[in-house]
Amino acid sequence: MLPSRHLVIGTLIVLVVFIVGICVQYPKLIYETFSLKHEQHPEIISTHELIEKTIELNYCQRQLGIKRSNVGRTAALQILTPWLAPIIWDGTYDIDLLNTQYKDKTIGLFVFAVKKYIRFLGPFLKSAERYFMVGHKVRYYVFTDKVAEVKWPKMAENRILVLREVTADQRWQDVSMRRMQVLTNLTRGELQTDVDYLVCADVDMVFADHVGVEILGERVATIHPGYFLKQPLSFSYERRPISNAYIPYGDGDFYYMAAFYGGTVDEIYKLSTACQEGIVSDKKKDIEAVWQEESHLNKYLVYNKPTKVLSPEYIWDTDLPNGNLVQKKRFLAVHKNHEEVRNRRDLTDIN
Ligand code: 4GW
Ligand code: MN
C-alpha cells in the first residue's frame, strides 16, 4: 500500500525542521563538514608554517609585481640561486634564531673614506650604529688620508673603531681599486685573529633599516639594484678578452655591486687577492677593466659562486625603477652633490 500524500508531506516537513535546527545549533560543524577547504584554526599554525607562509606570500607578491611590470626573467627574485645558495629577502629568515647562532662572532666593517669622500663617513658610521649588526661585536676598519678630520661617532658598547691612514691615489679609479690591495693585507694580517666575518662597503651610503647576521656567510655578494631584472647578456661585465676581468657572453648569473659584499676572513683574503692580481695584471697591459674592481669582483664571483646572495634590499638608490618589488630598503646610496663630489659612474676625475 502506498503511504498517503499527507504522510509524505508531514515526514518531509519534520525532516526540514530537523536539518534547519541542526544548522542553527551547530553552524561550525556544518561549515567544517561541507566546506571544501578545511582551514586550520589560526592558533595552531606553528612558527615554522608561519615563516613558510610569509615566504610564499612574499614570493607571490614579487611574481605579481613582475607580471605587472612585464619582466621576463625572474631569477633574481627567487629565494634560491641555481646552485642552491639562499637569496636574502625580507621574511625568508628567523632573525632571533640567527642572532643566537652568531652571538659569539665578531663582525668587521671595512670602509674607505679618502679625499672628499671623508664627508660621507660621519653619516655612514652613525647609521651603522643604528642599524648594522645591533647587539653584536663590531669592529669598524676605516681607511682615510684625513685621519685628523674623522669625527668619532658615539658608539655602543662592544663596538670598536680602528682608524688607519692610507695614501690618497691621484686617480679616483685607483682610490677605488686600492681597496683590494688594502683588504689583502688586512685579511692576511690582524683580521685573522680579530674578526670572524668581514663586510666591505662603499662609504657614500647609509643604513636605513636592519642589516644583521642574516647577511653573514662564507662568501656573500649583493645583486646590483640596477640589474636585478636584467638578462645576463646585458650585464656590464668586462667583455674584452684582453682584460683579466673578462667574462664571456653566456657565463654569469647575476651582476654584483662592489658597494657591499663580505665573507669569512679567509674567503675575503682569497677574493681580494684574486681581484688585486687581476688589477695588477691589467695595469701591466696598460688597460683597466670597465668598472674597475667591480669588474674583477664579478669575474671572481662568476667562477667562485657566492654561498649567499643579498637581494637589492641591501643596496638601493631611491632613483631606481621597480622599487615596488623591493619592500625594505636597508642600505641606501647617498645622493651626491655632483658639483662637489662626482659619482664614479660619471667617469670624471676629482682630487
Ligand atoms: C670620482 O670623481 C670619484 S672620487 C669616484 C670615486 C671616488 C672616491 C671613492 C674617492 O674620492 N674617495 C673614496 O674614498 N672613494 C671610495 O671608493 C669610497 O669608499 C667610495 O664609496 C668607493 C667607491 O667609489 P664610489 O662610491 O664613487 O663608486 P660608485 O659610483 O660605484 O658608488
Ligand atoms: Mn658608492
Side-chain angles (χ1 to χ4, degrees), residues 32-234:
E32 285 182 0
T33 313
F34 292 100
S35 164
L36 285 174
K37 203 169 150 204
H38 289 250
E39 290 205 12
Q40 272 182 307
H41 203 266
E43 276 97 335
I44 57 169
I45 293 185
S46 68
T47 317
H48 181 72
E49 280 173 297
L50 206 64
I51 289 173
E52 274 187 354
K53 278 192 192 307
T54 316
I55 294 173
E56 202 180 297
L57 191 69
N58 280 341
Y59 179 72
C60 290
Q61 280 171 346
R62 284 197 290 274
Q63 292 296 322
L64 265 175
I66 292 169
K67 276 215 180 95
R68 277 195 216 110
S69 39
N70 256 340
V71 180
R73 185 182 140 86
T74 61
L77 291 145
Q78 313 285 348
I79 57 167
L80 217 51
T81 67
W83 60 95
L84 303 180
I87 305 179
I88 310 302
W89 290 92
D90 190 38
T92 59
Y93 53 89
D94 180 335
I95 191 62
D96 296 331
L97 192 150
L98 291 175
N99 274 335
T100 312
Q101 253 182 25
Y102 288 92
K103 72 175 174 6
D104 299 322
K105 303 295 180 193
T106 301
I107 303 117
L109 181 56
F110 167 86
V111 74
F112 245 51
V114 167
K115 295 198 270 191
K116 290 191 176 174
Y117 276 50
I118 188 74
R119 70 187 60 191
F120 298 116
L121 186 63
F124 174 90
L125 292 172
K126 198 173 164 204
S127 69
E129 278 298 300
R130 186 158 173 211
Y131 294 114
F132 182 78
M133 303 289 167
V134 175
H136 291 272
K137 280 174 263 166
V138 171
R139 290 172 75 89
Y140 298 105
Y141 291 89
V142 175
F143 285 81
T144 182
D145 59 330
K146 300 190 187 312
V147 174
E149 285 179 38
V150 172
K151 288 186 200 87
W152 228 258
K154 222 171 117 192
M155 282 188 290
E157 228 183 284
N158 68 13
R159 297 170 84 101
I160 290 170
L161 195 152
V162 181
L163 188 59
R164 292 283 149 80
E165 188 156 13
V166 71
T167 45
D169 289 288
Q170 253 212 317
R171 293 175 67 244
W172 64 261
Q173 294 91 336
D174 292 327
V175 172
S176 195
M177 290 192 291
R178 170 81 60 196
R179 293 184 291 178
M180 288 299 176
Q181 188 198 21
V182 171
L183 265 178
T184 306
N185 295 334
L186 200 62
T187 48
R188 188 179 41 210
E190 61 191 271
L191 257 56
Q192 288 282 332
T193 50
D194 293 355
V195 152
D196 297 296
Y197 295 95
L198 186 64
V199 177
C200 311
D202 267 16
V203 75
D204 57 341
M205 309 280 299
V206 285
F207 294 95
D209 207 326
H210 162 97
V211 173
V213 295
E214 75 280 359
I215 71 163
L216 302 180
E218 240 184 300
R219 188 165 47 246
V220 184
T222 312
I223 299 171
H224 191 301
Y227 287 89
F228 77 112
L229 297 173
K230 300 245 167 79
Q231 308 268 358
L233 289 180
S234 71

Side-chain angles (χ1 to χ4, degrees), residues 17-34:
V17 169
F18 177 74
I19 292 169
V20 170
I22 295 274
C23 289
V24 172
Q25 277 294 309
Y26 307 103
K28 193 165 168 263
L29 178 80
I30 299 298
Y31 173 77
E32 285 182 0
T33 313
F34 292 100

Side-chain angles (χ1 to χ4, degrees), residues 193-332:
T193 50
D194 293 355
V195 152
D196 297 296
Y197 295 95
L198 186 64
V199 177
C200 311
D202 267 16
V203 75
D204 57 341
M205 309 280 299
V206 285
F207 294 95
D209 207 326
H210 162 97
V211 173
V213 295
E214 75 280 359
I215 71 163
L216 302 180
E218 240 184 300
R219 188 165 47 246
V220 184
T222 312
I223 299 171
H224 191 301
Y227 287 89
F228 77 112
L229 297 173
K230 300 245 167 79
Q231 308 268 358
L233 289 180
S234 71
F235 290 169
S236 63
Y237 291 150
E238 173 58 67
R239 300 300 193 181
R240 293 168 301 170
I242 190 175
S243 168
N244 212 276
Y246 170 61
I247 301 170
Y249 286 102
D251 282 5
D253 322 278
F254 301 109
Y255 187 77
Y256 304 104
M257 193 169 184
F260 203 55
Y261 60 93
T264 55
V265 173
D266 282 344
E267 277 300 323
I268 297 296
Y269 172 71
K270 284 185 211 156
L271 178 152
S272 57
T273 309
C275 291
Q276 179 58 15
E277 281 171 7
I279 290 167
V280 170
S281 140
D282 276 7
K283 270 196 190 297
K284 278 188 190 143
K285 287 183 243 164
D286 209 18
I287 53 164
E288 189 171 275
V290 58
W291 290 111
Q292 296 83 35
E293 81 290 349
E294 186 170 272
S295 305
H296 292 277
L297 177 76
N298 271 281
K299 157 84 182 286
Y300 183 80
L301 293 170
V302 166
Y303 304 108
N304 302 271
K305 307 272 191 229
T307 58
K308 190 178 264 186
V309 172
L310 305 183
S311 72
E313 284 177 16
Y314 293 89
I315 303 177
W316 193 259
D317 188 322
T318 46
D319 282 350
L320 288 168
N322 299 305
N324 58 320
L325 298 176
V326 182
Q327 280 170 12
K328 296 264 180 182
K329 279 113 185 167
R330 303 173 186 281
F331 193 40
L332 285 174

